Amino acid sequence: MMRRTLFMRRVRASAQMLVLVVITMVGVVACTHAGVTTSSSEEAMETVSGSVTYRERIALPPATVVTVRLEDVSLADAPAKVLAEQKIELSGQQVPIPYSLKVDSTQIDPRSRIVLRALIRSADGGLLFTNTTAELVEPGQDNTNRMLVLQHVGGRSGDGEAQASVQLLDTTWKLVKLGNVEVDPAASRMPSQITLAAGADAGMSGIAVCNRIIGSYTLDGEALHLRPGATTMMACVPGPLAEGEVLAALNATTGYRIDGSQLQLLDATGTVLATYVR
């Protein structure tokens, strides 16, 4: 009888030990799994950082807001997809302004075209500076210390050098504003643009939205008349710009004004139809 009792105690002890071992193993696996999940999530986050600046010797006004975005512009002439954004409210700070964006690389298609876009707006929301060329970002590469040099596209500079007139002719002008609609030339592979050639090759060429323009112009002092003429006939992807509106603005142009690095096309009443930057 004693032997049987001793045997049963040993069986119960072994069973309890087995239960403890199983519980311990489950806990270890769970902890390990949780640790791997956290680590993978952290490793998937990429940082894109650097600073925003511009070349003009212009002080930023109070309450200026700097916005930096990481955008997917893979679809030509379609609205960009914002992957990450940082808004920096300035209280007297001047350029360079540091920025830092974090994005989950697992959510980015390796075939995508990713760009950085930066804007500087005044307190009332007016656009002062933006980048007009595509700042490409390659996921998986070192994207720290990315300096974004912006163009002055709005407001008056107050600096003689910055206000120096740039050449109207033989310059590629990229559209940044049509009426009250702001346009990001860096978000498209084919930004809306015009070029007025001088000399023997005098004529107008460019891109309305997705179709190319070939036409002519007449220039007499500050009087400028544009005749877009022929265009290609591709179907454009729906976006913020309608091709007919761009062509209508060009056809309605009777004058122009150059302010710093921007070109404004004017109608007969002096209203700004469109704003371009070089």
Side-chain angles (χ1 to χ4, degrees):
M1 187 68 177
M2 292 181 60
R3 290 182 179 179
R4 183 179 178 183
T5 302
L6 182 59
F7 174 75
M8 292 303 295
R9 289 179 178 175
R10 289 177 178 176
V11 169
R12 284 196 296 270
S14 298
Q16 292 174 348
M17 182 63 68
L18 180 60
V19 171
L20 289 174
V21 170
V22 170
I23 292 174
T24 302
M25 292 180 64
V26 170
V28 170
V29 171
C31 290
T32 302
H33 179 70
V36 170
T37 301
T38 302
S39 178
S40 298
S41 177
E42 292 177 354
E43 290 178 359
M45 299 302 293
E46 288 196 24
T47 299
V48 181
S49 61
S51 59
V52 174
T53 189
Y54 50 79
R55 292 190 176 92
E56 288 86 352
R57 292 177 293 180
I58 307 171
L60 291 173
T64 298
V65 178
V66 179
T67 302
V68 184
R69 296 177 186 148
L70 195 64
E71 299 179 337
D72 184 339
V73 295
S74 302
L75 297 178
D77 305 304
K81 177 183 178 182
V82 178
L83 303 175
E85 180 180 87
Q86 181 183 16
K87 288 190 176 182
I88 308 164
E89 297 183 3
L90 304 182
S91 301
Q93 303 100 308
Q94 300 296 323
V95 294
I97 306 298
Y99 69 89
S100 181
L101 301 171
K102 289 188 179 295
V103 62
D104 187 350
S105 60
T106 63
Q107 303 301 314
I108 300 177
D109 188 327
R111 299 166 296 179
S112 297
R113 187 169 187 261
I114 310 301
V115 301
L116 273 169
R117 183 189 181 195
L119 309 96
I120 300 180
R121 295 182 182 276
S122 60
D124 60 4
L127 182 64
L128 301 177
F129 295 86
T130 187
N131 53 315
T132 58
T133 57
E135 294 287 341
L136 293 176
V137 173
E138 296 185 16
Q141 303 298 316
D142 182 6
N143 289 301
T144 57
N145 300 318
R146 296 290 300 267
M147 178 176 286
L148 302 177
V149 182
L150 309 189
Q151 293 273 353
H152 179 235
V153 298
R156 300 194 63 85
S157 64
D159 182 89
E161 180 180 348
Q163 289 184 0
S165 176
V166 297
Q167 189 176 22
L168 171 66
L169 305 180
D170 294 326
T171 298
T172 297
W173 298 97
K174 298 178 183 178
L175 183 66
V176 293
K177 194 172 185 179
L178 182 67
N180 294 321
V181 178
E182 292 181 358
V183 183
D184 177 15
S188 173
R189 296 185 182 185
M190 297 174 59
S192 183
Q193 59 188 265
I194 58 171
T195 301
L196 306 180
D201 297 326
M204 181 178 72
S205 61
I207 299 171
V209 173
C210 71
N211 285 294
R212 297 188 178 278
I213 305 168
I214 299 176
S216 60
Y217 70 90
T218 57
L219 178 63
D220 183 11
E222 294 184 352
L224 174 66
H225 292 82
L226 305 177
R227 293 182 288 275
T231 66
T232 54
M233 301 296 290
M234 293 193 302
C236 301
V237 176
L241 282 181
E243 192 151 274
E245 294 175 352
V246 175
L247 294 174
L250 296 177
N251 279 304
T253 297
T254 60
Y256 77 98
R257 179 169 59 238
I258 291 179
D259 182 10
S261 62
Q262 70 175 348
L263 165 67
Q264 296 176 335
L265 300 183
L266 313 175
D267 67 9
T269 67
T271 301
V272 177
L273 299 170
T275 302
Y276 292 77
V277 297
R278 59 189 176 92

